[in-house]
Amino acid sequence: MLNHLGINPDTLKHSQLSHWQKVQYRAVINWLTKYKPSPNASNLEKVRGCLEAFHHLCELESWEKAVKIFALNLNNSQNVELHLQLATWGYYQEQIELYKILLGKISPSVDIVCLIGLGKASTLLSNYNLALTYYNQGLAIAKSLKEYQAIANLLNNISATYRFLGDYKKSISYSQKSLNIAEMTKDKSGKANSMCNLGIAYYSLADYSKAVEYHQQELLLVQEINDDEGECRARGNLGNVFCALGKFSAAIEQQKHALSIAQKLENRYSECAAFGNLGTAYNYLGEYHKAIEFYKQQLELAQETKDRATESIALGNIGTVYSALNQHEQALSYQKRRLVIARIIGDCDGEGKSLGNIGIEYAALGKYSEAIEYYEQRLAIAQEIDDFCGQASVLVNLGLSLAKLGRNSEALIYLQLSLKIFHEIGLIFREEQVLRILIKLCHKSQRHLLAIKYHFILCRLKRLQISLNST
């Protein structure tokens, strides 16, 4: 590593460097040669020597040497650079620190890498608008350099961010632009990434036939270029769609294949995802004990790797199964544990989902006032991070709990707001669900004319859906 950096400990003492510079270089040498983490050290501690050496080189403003550590391959089977590996392990703040230090210090091409990294880390921390800011800055630089591969990558990342925000139309638009560039440049990897985003967007819109089509094309492409990571991702995506289609055997087959690849690659992040997806498939099958088994494996692996974000998700998943088993007190306990972690790591999206799930459990226990309190907190976070789908969903739950307390006028307002949002983001099947709730509530409140109006809207919506499906 010292040879790679062009640092010779033997000549350092007699060099023309200042005393301060020699001290900094000696620190680099010591961290890279003498630091020995304990056998049971965390992943972060295992790379502590490299990170400390990076910071000392930055103190020296030796940017070219610092970026060599930043891009260091850790000699693992994944062939992943250090800055990317930090994200795989869930160390997003440490990753962000590296990017911010290097940004603007070396070259526009390195700036693009840093801005993409900052965007991805911000997305994982649920700071979606900040992520868009970074991606758009990167996109402007990539366009000025005419780096088409980077442009396609950034468009894909922007697409994914809009998907997290519930704006699926924009997500599809950006992925399509990325796909066009990938096809023009014959970039099969970029094309597979675009197919992946398009498939997930259509999955979110419940257009499962299109989702399957895109993910199957994604799978063929990654197999063609021998991209094991991509195959793991594609099979996981396909499994999720099959699960939504009720094809649980096919879903489980794909997820088990994805798990096998993840374990071969020693990709703990993908392994965690596969355990979680298998849990979800068995949850849908009603095999709750198997679902809990897989979710607990997901939880244990996340705790082992100190991946707090995935630990939070796993706790929420387990809570969901206990809810299905009508063990609401147990479910509540897991959702509250998830809430604590989400707040510690600054995961706004996870915090919002936890609050919403806690509200659901209180509603199931008949404690509607407590449920409303948590739903209102969930709504505030969804509005803060522009999570439109989250806003609409919690507005439905608020409406249902208010109706249970006999506060029908307030319930009607919340349900109407949710209907408007679902319509704007194009979730037709959710619009239908809300319309059915509104019709029942209007009849119960003796607002029969309004119920008839919503009935006509529902009929028109069903005709539209039939028309879309036929085309």
Side-chain angles (χ1 to χ4, degrees):
M1 186 62 201
L2 292 176
N3 288 335
H4 181 57
L5 294 173
I7 299 173
N8 187 341
D10 298 328
T11 60
L12 180 63
K13 186 176 180 180
H14 305 291
S15 69
Q16 298 300 310
L17 297 170
S18 69
H19 174 70
W20 178 80
Q21 288 173 317
K22 288 178 182 178
V23 168
Q24 294 295 330
Y25 274 116
R26 178 53 60 190
V28 172
I29 293 164
N30 289 341
W31 276 110
L32 290 176
T33 61
K34 294 183 179 180
Y35 174 71
K36 303 293 181 187
S38 63
N40 59 347
S42 68
N43 285 321
L44 185 61
E45 288 305 312
K46 288 174 184 175
V47 296
R48 174 65 61 196
C50 292
L51 294 175
E52 292 294 342
F54 169 87
H55 287 296
H56 283 289
L57 288 169
C58 291
E59 284 291 319
L60 288 159
E61 297 188 3
S62 183
W63 304 115
E64 295 296 339
K65 287 182 173 63
V67 83
K68 286 181 179 179
I69 293 181
F70 169 85
L72 174 68
N73 185 284
L74 298 179
N75 293 322
N76 56 25
S77 59
Q78 295 176 70
N79 196 30
V80 176
E81 295 177 354
L82 174 61
H83 67 104
L84 297 173
Q85 186 64 57
L86 288 171
T88 301
W89 290 333
Y91 298 120
Y92 309 125
Q93 294 298 346
E94 288 80 4
Q95 188 188 31
I96 287 168
E97 189 178 351
L98 300 190
Y99 293 132
K100 285 186 173 179
I101 290 171
L102 286 182
L103 191 61
K105 299 297 193 305
I106 301 174
S107 69
S109 294
V110 173
D111 286 347
I112 291 172
V113 172
C114 291
L115 288 164
I116 289 173
L118 283 165
K120 285 185 175 180
S122 299
T123 298
L124 289 163
L125 292 170
S126 306
N127 297 324
Y128 302 122
N129 289 318
L130 181 59
L132 287 173
T133 301
Y134 287 129
Y135 288 144
N136 282 313
Q137 288 175 18
L139 187 60
I141 297 170
K143 284 180 175 177
S144 71
L145 298 175
K146 295 184 178 178
E147 289 194 8
Y148 293 109
Q149 191 170 6
I151 293 169
N153 188 3
L154 283 153
L155 289 169
N156 258 329
N157 287 325
I158 293 170
S159 165
T161 309
Y162 276 118
R163 189 179 73 245
F164 292 131
L165 287 168
D167 194 335
Y168 304 115
K169 290 177 182 175
K170 273 191 179 177
S171 176
I172 289 167
S173 172
Y174 277 97
S175 283
Q176 192 60 58
K177 289 175 185 176
S178 174
L179 180 60
N180 293 342
I181 293 171
E183 287 177 336
M184 178 187 75
T185 58
K186 295 180 169 52
D187 176 10
K188 290 182 179 179
S189 178
K191 189 175 177 181
N193 289 334
S194 300
M195 295 288 188
C196 170
N197 271 336
L198 284 164
I200 297 172
Y202 280 113
Y203 167 79
S204 302
L205 288 167
D207 191 340
Y208 301 128
S209 59
K210 273 191 179 178
V212 168
E213 180 185 335
Y214 280 114
H215 287 316
Q216 284 178 334
Q217 290 181 64
E218 175 196 3
L219 180 59
L220 288 173
L221 279 167
V222 294
Q223 287 176 326
E224 188 178 333
I225 59 177
N226 296 314
D227 178 2
D228 289 340
E229 286 280 357
E231 181 174 354
C232 181
R233 177 195 66 205
R235 288 189 180 280
N237 288 334
L238 262 177
N240 289 336
V241 184
F242 286 144
C243 200
L245 287 166
K247 298 179 178 180
F248 302 117
S249 296
I252 289 166
E253 181 186 344
Q254 292 294 342
Q255 298 299 357
K256 284 185 174 178
H257 204 140
L259 177 62
S260 174
I261 296 170
Q263 289 173 333
K264 182 186 79 173
L265 296 173
E266 296 179 7
N267 187 324
R268 314 310 288 279
Y269 180 84
S270 296
E271 192 178 349
C272 264
F275 280 135
N277 289 335
L278 281 164
T280 300
Y282 282 111
N283 190 16
Y284 277 122
L285 274 172
E287 295 187 34
Y288 299 124
H289 296 293
K290 269 193 178 179
I292 288 173
E293 179 187 329
F294 279 109
Y295 283 145
K296 285 189 173 177
Q297 286 180 273
Q298 180 189 33
L299 177 62
E300 286 167 15
L301 187 53
Q303 289 171 333
E304 180 188 325
T305 56
K306 301 194 185 309
D307 180 353
R308 303 307 301 278
T310 304
E311 181 183 358
S312 172
I313 291 167
L315 287 166
N317 287 337
I318 295 168
T320 302
V321 184
Y322 280 120
S323 183
L325 288 166
N326 292 319
Q327 297 180 28
H328 299 294
E329 294 288 356
Q330 186 86 317
L332 198 55
S333 170
Y334 276 98
Q335 297 297 353
K336 286 186 174 181
R337 284 171 64 189
R338 181 188 188 186
L339 179 61
V340 170
I341 294 174
R343 283 174 169 165
I344 288 171
I345 64 175
D347 177 7
C348 293
D349 184 52
E351 181 181 356
K353 286 174 179 172
S354 305
L355 290 164
N357 287 334
I358 291 169
I360 288 168
E361 297 312 320
Y362 275 123
L365 290 165
K367 298 179 179 180
Y368 299 112
S369 297
E370 289 92 333
I372 289 167
E373 180 186 332
Y374 280 95
Y375 288 147
E376 286 173 343
Q377 292 179 66
R378 163 65 171 136
L379 179 60
I381 289 176
Q383 290 170 332
E384 183 185 336
I385 63 175
D386 290 337
D387 177 2
F388 304 113
C389 189
Q391 288 175 46
S393 297
V394 76
L395 284 166
V396 174
N397 289 334
L398 265 167
L400 290 169
S401 286
L402 287 164
K404 287 288 186 180
L405 292 173
R407 293 158 62 179
N408 293 336
S409 296
E410 292 172 78
L412 187 62
I413 292 168
Y414 283 118
L415 289 164
Q416 288 169 332
L417 283 170
S418 73
L419 182 67
K420 182 174 182 289
I421 296 170
F422 280 136
H423 178 73
E424 286 173 353
I425 63 178
L427 281 182
I428 294 175
F429 76 105
R430 295 304 304 273
E431 275 188 84
E432 284 189 21
Q433 291 171 352
V434 179
L435 282 165
R436 293 182 195 282
I437 295 168
L438 278 166
I439 291 166
K440 287 181 181 178
L441 181 62
C442 289
H443 281 307
K444 186 179 178 181
S445 307
Q446 306 299 311
R447 302 187 186 191
H448 301 300
L449 287 176
L450 190 55
I452 291 168
K453 174 189 170 183
Y454 286 127
H455 180 74
F456 278 121
I457 294 172
L458 178 62
C459 291
R460 190 166 66 244
L461 200 63
K462 288 175 78 173
R463 286 197 296 273
L464 173 63
Q465 198 167 19
I466 291 166
S467 173
L468 289 171
N469 289 339
S470 66
T471 55

